[in-house]
Amino acid sequence: MRFPFSAVVGHDDLRLALLLNAVHPGVGGVLVRGEKGTAKSTAVRALASLLPLLDVIEGCRFACDPVAPDPSCPDGPHDAASPSATRPARLVELPVGATEDRLVGALDLERALAAGVRAYQPGLLAEAHRGVLYVDEVNLLHDHLVDLLLDAAAMGRAHVERDGVSVSHAARFLLVGTMNPEEGELRPQLLDRFGLTVEVAASRDVGTRAEVVRRGLAFEADPAGFVAAWESADRDVATRIADARARLGAVTLSDRELRRIAGVCAAVDVDGMRADLVIARAAAAHAAWRGADAVQEQDVRVAARLALPHRRRRDPFDEPGIDDKTLDEAMRSAAENLDDEPEPDPPTPDGPGSGSGPDDSADGSAADGSPADDSAADGSAADGPGADGSAADESGAEGSRQGGSRAGSSAPDRSGADGSGADGSGADGSGADGSQVDGSDAGGSRQADDPVGAAVPAPRPLRLASSAARRFRVPGVGEGTPGRRSRARTDTGRVVRSSTTVPRRAADLHLPATLTAAAPHQRSRAAKGAADRFAVHAADLRSAEREGREGNLVLFVVDASGSMAARRRMSAVSGAVLALLRDAYRRRDKVGLVSFRGGSAEVALPPTSSVPAAQARLATLRTGGRTPLAEGLLRARRVLDAERRRDPRRRALLVLLTDGRATVAVREGGDPVADACRAAGLLAADGVHTVVVDCESGPVRLGLAGTVAGHAGGEIVRLDELTAESVAGVVSRAA
């Protein structure tokens, strides 16, 4: 039994985005971003029960409409005499671990082997047609599945070309994905494929939080009674959805409002034309939802607020979001380009009752055009259903507008180190007392260190050189999480060989090898059975071994000591790490960051799938002090050991950025360089692949980083070979 949609407390933007897609599925779906425990899944599952009943052709696995059946339906052709039935719209959930054949469908292996016929077994896309397809934790879904899913959602059809099967069927559904940004981001080009996005966060208002708990406990104690209490409110919302769907075709979008939409999208500088189309559809759906016959400015503003946040990202590390000030400026800029013709006052028809749906007007008024309940102003939650059966206003002032707390957020402030030498060093790399701080004099000995705790200068945006990118791969073949870095045996990818392992699923069957194995036995088997059949026994089955790419754990170990802290050189190093982080983002890696300086090493960022979090930690990295290289490598070894226990299949890649000048031993009186080499040898014994980025500069180079790389059994790459930009010039000027 599902929690009632009308009983969800707050989350007005989330409920509105879901309802607009229910009114007009062409909007393109909803991506719900938010922290854990914010009722994202609860709201999505509750929506399905509000969708209108469907008329379907009996026996059709693709839910064809009797009035307008799909002419290319694999179960067709259908005609007017085909029997029909009525059923609720389906909510189909796509698990994170789903396979490609489960999503799009595949050859029916049982019928193919038993009856010798080529039959298609539909997948989840077929089941979700005319319903809701829900993907929880969509950011953890394999990239190739996300591509298939969004292509089908955009085209309204699924095309299957695999296992000798060629099928095309209708796949129009309301796509809803939820994600926790802390667990990793979607690629910007995939974000753009979702029509609307909302940011949800738990309310900080005590009354709202108390009401959430009160309703949750009431539902757990008596699910049937709780659902019955909210049945009238949910019925009103369902009726309103049906009315809005019927009205949608008559809603007009004037040229004036169309130009307003184009002006808003141009003002915020979004890429492509998808934003314009989504806003136009969402604005029409919002007008139909509030009972209007024409799109007005308020409809455009609401649609833009939901359609633009995730499309303003110019960089994979940019935070999605659009604040009210930016949106107001875009609306004002768009209005300046319109005609001087006065705009008629928007109609405010009476709705089916405020509170049964979310607060969806542009100015915060209730859905029926009346002012919002004043009780919501202090954030307190309303009571349960009223005597007339309508739901009370549930919105709170705090936390109800999901994007408010995060909209317009940007990368962390990096202004702590400007050109004036805020870190204590001058613009030419000299310290406050005029002493050299980069430690790269002719003899290679270190002079005065940078002030301990100096801020790292803001890194320049750099690109990883293609020649260098090929060197940051783990050798061999792994079995880790699918990604795009190192070779691995995966469930997808190209078939490289067959094995005698029994196939776990139809997609794992290596059909040519199976037939080849069964062929020599056909004469003896024909004598025991039907001579006109090709007999295949269990012992003949062969599995296909596929090879693709995996994502790795990339642990950055950064030397932040005084020898690395010359301002321009550390800026180059930070830019190189940023280039590597971008590469890790594209390859779907897990990343971590260890820094060492002074007398110790610290885990600046525990391994995480959120690559932007690593960028944020890099921006707050402090420099200066001595160089405990051995301690940095030993701390990295402990981090990798802990991660190996959690996820033994994910292979690690350690990227060490240093000039190799160790000055702190593990034990007092020891040899710092020898300790660093021993620590590197321990990493090699653990099977960790290491790439050392040699950051040494100056006319005299000691080659100590190469010595460390040799003991680690890894590769070494020069900093000036790492990025496509001219980092070499930056480093040489810092020397």
Side-chain angles (χ1 to χ4, degrees):
M1 189 168 291
R2 295 172 182 152
F3 194 86
F5 186 82
S6 300
V8 175
V9 180
H11 294 331
D12 297 333
D13 280 356
L14 170 58
R15 294 188 293 157
L16 174 58
L18 292 173
L19 290 170
L20 293 182
N21 274 271
V23 172
H24 190 347
V27 168
V30 184
L31 176 64
V32 187
R33 299 165 47 90
E35 57 197 25
K36 52 188 176 294
T38 49
K40 301 186 297 292
S41 301
T42 299
V44 174
R45 293 189 175 99
L47 176 71
S49 60
L50 304 182
L51 298 179
L53 296 176
L54 299 179
D55 292 328
V56 299
I57 296 177
E58 283 189 0
C60 179
R61 298 172 296 170
F62 302 89
C64 278
D65 187 346
V67 177
D70 180 11
S72 58
C73 175
D75 284 354
H78 304 298
D79 53 34
S82 300
S84 62
T86 301
R87 64 165 176 81
R90 290 173 178 162
L91 172 69
V92 177
E93 298 193 35
L94 175 61
V96 170
T99 59
E100 184 176 343
D101 60 323
R102 184 69 186 100
L103 177 64
V104 301
L107 178 70
D108 190 331
L109 185 59
E110 182 178 352
R111 292 185 62 189
L113 294 178
V117 297
R118 186 180 300 169
Y120 171 68
Q121 184 175 14
L124 295 177
L125 292 179
E127 292 182 28
H129 179 48
R130 304 176 68 195
V132 180
L133 183 59
Y134 173 48
V135 188
D136 193 14
E137 305 294 352
V138 65
N139 52 322
L140 303 182
L141 195 65
H142 297 170
D143 283 352
H144 72 285
L145 294 184
V146 176
D147 292 334
L148 291 171
L149 178 63
L150 295 179
D151 282 343
M155 296 185 297
R157 298 196 67 83
H159 299 279
V160 184
E161 299 285 347
R162 54 181 304 162
D163 299 331
V165 174
S166 179
V167 173
S168 175
H169 65 82
R172 292 184 296 275
F173 45 80
L174 168 55
L175 175 63
V176 183
T178 60
M179 60 175 284
N180 183 352
E182 295 177 355
E183 298 173 343
E185 286 282 358
L186 276 174
R187 303 197 309 272
Q189 58 269 38
L190 298 183
L191 278 174
D192 183 59
R193 300 297 290 272
F194 282 94
L196 309 178
T197 186
V198 291
E199 196 91 15
V200 297
S203 173
R204 298 300 182 258
D205 177 75
V206 174
T208 302
R209 297 175 72 95
E211 183 63 19
V212 170
V213 175
R214 185 180 298 113
R215 294 186 187 183
L217 294 177
F219 179 73
E220 292 176 1
D222 183 12
F226 187 84
V227 171
W230 289 91
E231 183 178 3
S232 177
D234 268 5
R235 189 184 306 114
D236 287 343
V237 178
T239 301
R240 193 170 176 185
I241 291 174
D243 292 344
R245 278 190 174 185
R247 188 183 299 111
L248 181 64
V251 173
T252 59
L253 176 62
S254 66
D255 185 68
R256 179 182 179 83
E257 297 308 319
L258 185 58
R259 290 177 59 83
R260 189 192 306 278
I261 292 171
V264 169
C265 293
V268 298
D269 195 26
V270 296
D271 292 333
M273 297 298 299
R274 185 173 283 118
D276 304 64
L277 292 169
V278 169
I279 293 176
R281 293 166 182 158
H286 188 262
W289 170 256
R290 64 183 180 84
D293 295 326
V295 172
Q296 302 291 344
E297 180 180 357
Q298 61 173 306
D299 303 311
V300 174
R301 192 184 194 284
V302 169
R305 180 166 52 80
L306 298 174
L308 292 179
H310 58 304
R311 293 187 166 89
R312 298 184 67 238
R313 300 180 74 182
R314 284 292 175 272
D315 186 271
F317 297 145
D318 289 344
E319 284 286 344
I322 183 169
D323 54 24
D324 289 338
K325 180 180 179 182
T326 302
L327 182 57
D328 288 340
E329 291 176 353
M331 292 291 293
R332 188 159 46 248
S333 174
E336 292 174 355
N337 296 325
L338 299 178
D339 300 332
D340 295 330
E341 180 183 350
E343 184 75 15
D345 293 331
T348 55
D350 292 336
S354 63
S356 61
D359 175 4
D360 52 44
S361 64
D363 59 357
S365 60
D368 61 354
S370 61
D373 190 342
D374 292 338
S375 64
D378 60 357
S380 60
D383 295 330
D388 60 352
S390 62
D393 182 23
E394 306 154 9
S395 62
E398 296 293 331
S400 62
R401 187 73 66 187
Q402 292 88 345
S405 61
R406 304 185 185 185
S409 58
S410 59
D413 186 301
R414 303 176 187 166
S415 59
D418 55 21
S420 62
D423 62 349
S425 61
D428 60 354
S430 61
D433 58 357
S435 59
Q436 191 70 20
V437 297
D438 65 348
S440 57
D441 61 328
S445 62
R446 181 180 299 105
Q447 303 296 324
D449 287 341
D450 243 17
V452 176
V456 175
R460 298 171 57 214
L462 303 173
R463 294 180 298 110
L464 187 66
S466 58
S467 58
R470 290 191 291 270
R471 303 175 69 172
F472 288 85
R473 294 176 183 170
V474 181
V477 181
E479 296 180 349
T481 304
R484 297 185 176 184
R485 183 172 296 279
S486 306
R487 294 171 55 201
R489 287 179 288 272
T490 63
D491 291 336
T492 60
R494 63 188 181 90
V495 177
V496 293
R497 65 183 66 86
S498 64
S499 69
T500 56
T501 306
V502 177
R504 293 175 295 131
R505 55 196 179 112
D508 293 335
L509 179 69
H510 195 296
L511 191 57
T514 298
L515 297 177
T516 301
H521 307 288
Q522 293 308 301
R523 182 172 297 178
S524 59
R525 292 173 183 174
K528 299 177 182 179
D532 58 344
R533 290 186 179 180
F534 190 89
V536 177
H537 292 180
D540 304 325
L541 297 179
R542 298 291 185 270
S543 291
E545 290 191 6
R546 291 181 168 83
E547 187 172 295
R549 294 283 174 178
E550 67 177 358
N552 299 121
L553 167 60
V554 181
L555 182 64
F556 296 96
V557 184
V558 180
D559 184 348
S561 64
S563 68
M564 296 280 292
R567 287 179 52 79
R568 291 195 182 99
R569 188 191 307 172
M570 199 60 199
S571 179
V573 171
S574 301
V577 176
L578 187 56
L580 290 166
L581 283 173
R582 293 174 189 273
D583 183 62
Y585 178 91
R586 290 190 295 267
R587 298 180 189 274
R588 319 306 287 172
D589 291 321
K590 197 174 183 179
V591 297
L593 179 62
V594 173
S595 67
F596 57 93
R597 66 181 181 90
S600 64
E602 65 173 351
V603 181
L605 178 72
T608 175
S609 297
S610 180
V611 178
Q615 183 207 20
R617 296 298 177 90
L618 179 66
T620 60
L621 195 64
R622 314 299 292 183
T623 65
R626 303 173 70 190
T627 312
L629 177 55
E631 182 59 35
L633 294 175
L634 292 175
R635 174 57 68 92
R637 183 172 181 247
R638 290 193 291 271
V639 171
L640 293 177
D641 182 64
E643 285 300 309
R644 192 180 300 114
R645 296 173 187 274
R646 294 191 186 98
D647 188 358
R649 296 179 59 193
R650 188 186 288 269
R651 297 188 294 164
L653 172 66
L654 187 143
V655 180
L656 172 64
L657 294 99
T658 183
D659 58 6
R661 298 180 181 181
T663 61
V664 179
V666 176
R667 294 180 178 85
E668 186 175 354
D671 184 346
V673 176
D675 285 352
C677 291
R678 279 193 289 270
L682 292 175
L683 288 168
D686 290 342
V688 177
H689 182 62
T690 302
V691 177
V692 179
V693 180
D694 186 1
C695 302
E696 190 175 28
S697 62
V700 177
R701 301 176 185 269
L702 303 180
L704 298 176
T707 302
V708 174
H711 282 80
E715 300 181 63
I716 185 165
V717 59
R718 290 275 302 277
L719 181 63
D720 52 12
E721 300 171 350
L722 191 60
T723 57
E725 289 79 1
S726 180
V727 181
V730 176
V731 176
S732 63
R733 287 194 298 272

